[in-house]
Amino acid sequence: MISVIRSEILKLRTTRMWWAMALGIFVAGAVFAGFFAVVYTIDDPGTGAPAMTGTDAQVANTVYTAGLGVGYLLLLTIGVMQIGSEYRHKTITGTFLATPRRMKALLGKVLALVVIGIGYGLVSLLGSVSVGATVLSMRGIEPFPDVEILRSLALSLLALALWALIGLGVGILIPNMVAALLVGIGTAWIVEPLVGFGLSFNDFANEHVVKFFPSQATNAMIDPVTVSGPGMAEPLSWWAGALTLTAYAVVLAGLGVLRASRQDVT
């Protein structure tokens, strides 16, 4: 299994995509962290107090995880392309010939994407924490006022790995890579927010449906402050958000692996 995982990681590293994605996720983390660190600590001209309210821990947590919205879209893309490129270029047959036990080959992809997701998560945190902590320190705010921030940072790594698995499932269930990318990214970036906004006007849906959407579950895992506010339903707890996102990843990746293990690829 170790050799299969190494092979999958090597497939990513032999393309230009790996460093372009790494650069993108690093810059997104750094830029969003710097922006939110300034916005959350800028003084209100009328009072001289910070314009944004919240504890130091809430501010720091929001700053460090601000770029995850871009990060999970990039990991979704990687997950789709990790399998979609093989269907597109007809190399999936060679993969299954090199590892005749299909389930082993597919589980290798799953585990490799977990490693890749965590790796890119570390790159994202390197950008966001370095820039965010610097700006917060300059603004007189303790960069790490609470140990719960470390939990959120660890959960952000898990979230990115799970989004990569969601992408894998989408890439298998929709074998056309371009279509899979359009459906996956379009749903996560455009459709889900619009549907969530529409459902927010219905009390029942706002209370019992919207908070279980993948992006809402992700925010609940790492930064519940961003999904709470006047007129909004109580967000999931961090552990419930983690379980919800894990369920999406398990179902989509599981269905994808099951299909790929049985379908004819010749």
Side-chain angles (χ1 to χ4, degrees), residues 6-264:
R6 286 177 178 172
S7 175
E8 292 300 323
I9 295 176
L10 181 61
K11 289 176 184 177
L12 177 65
R13 291 181 55 240
T14 53
T15 67
R16 297 177 182 177
M17 182 179 72
W18 79 268
W19 61 262
M21 289 292 189
L23 179 61
I25 202 169
F26 176 86
V27 171
V31 169
F32 277 91
F35 175 77
F36 276 88
V38 171
V39 169
Y40 270 57
T41 58
I42 194 170
D43 293 338
D44 187 334
T47 64
M52 295 291 183
T53 60
T55 66
D56 286 358
Q58 289 174 332
V59 170
N61 192 59
T62 300
V63 166
Y64 298 151
T65 59
L68 264 294
V70 175
Y72 69 67
L73 289 178
L74 293 179
L75 265 297
L76 174 68
T77 301
I78 290 174
V80 171
M81 296 184 69
Q82 192 73 2
I83 184 69
S85 61
E86 296 219 48
Y87 283 118
R88 185 175 187 180
H89 299 293
K90 310 300 182 183
T91 58
I92 189 69
T93 302
T95 296
F96 288 151
L97 287 175
T99 309
R101 294 171 58 188
R102 284 195 181 188
M103 190 58 70
K104 180 179 180 180
L106 293 167
L107 289 179
K109 287 184 178 293
V110 169
L111 296 177
L113 280 174
V114 171
V115 174
I116 290 169
I118 292 174
Y120 278 112
L122 291 173
V123 172
S124 176
L125 293 182
L126 179 62
S128 63
V129 174
S130 60
V131 174
T134 300
V135 176
L136 290 177
S137 296
M138 293 172 62
R139 302 293 294 176
I141 292 181
E142 174 63 37
F144 293 96
D146 197 301
V147 70
E148 288 189 1
I149 294 176
L150 299 179
R151 183 192 68 194
S152 294
L153 297 182
L155 286 172
S156 68
L157 302 182
L158 172 63
L160 292 180
L162 292 175
W163 274 97
L165 296 183
I166 291 174
L168 176 69
V170 173
I172 297 176
L173 297 174
I174 307 176
N176 184 297
M177 186 176 72
V178 176
L181 287 172
L182 290 175
V183 170
I185 297 175
T187 300
W189 191 27
I190 300 173
V191 176
E192 184 192 325
L194 290 177
V195 172
F197 177 74
L199 292 178
S200 66
F201 293 98
N202 181 279
D203 291 339
F204 178 85
N206 187 41
E207 179 69 30
H208 301 286
V209 178
V210 175
K211 62 184 178 181
F212 290 99
F213 285 1
S215 63
Q216 296 292 313
T218 303
N219 288 332
M221 285 175 64
I222 59 178
D223 187 20
V225 176
T226 62
V227 288
S228 62
M232 299 183 68
E234 184 71 20
L236 296 172
S237 60
W238 68 266
W239 59 267
L243 289 177
T244 300
L245 191 63
T246 299
Y248 279 107
V250 169
V251 170
L252 287 172
L255 290 175
V257 167
L258 184 63
R259 177 183 179 183
S261 66
R262 298 180 176 182
Q263 71 180 150
D264 184 9

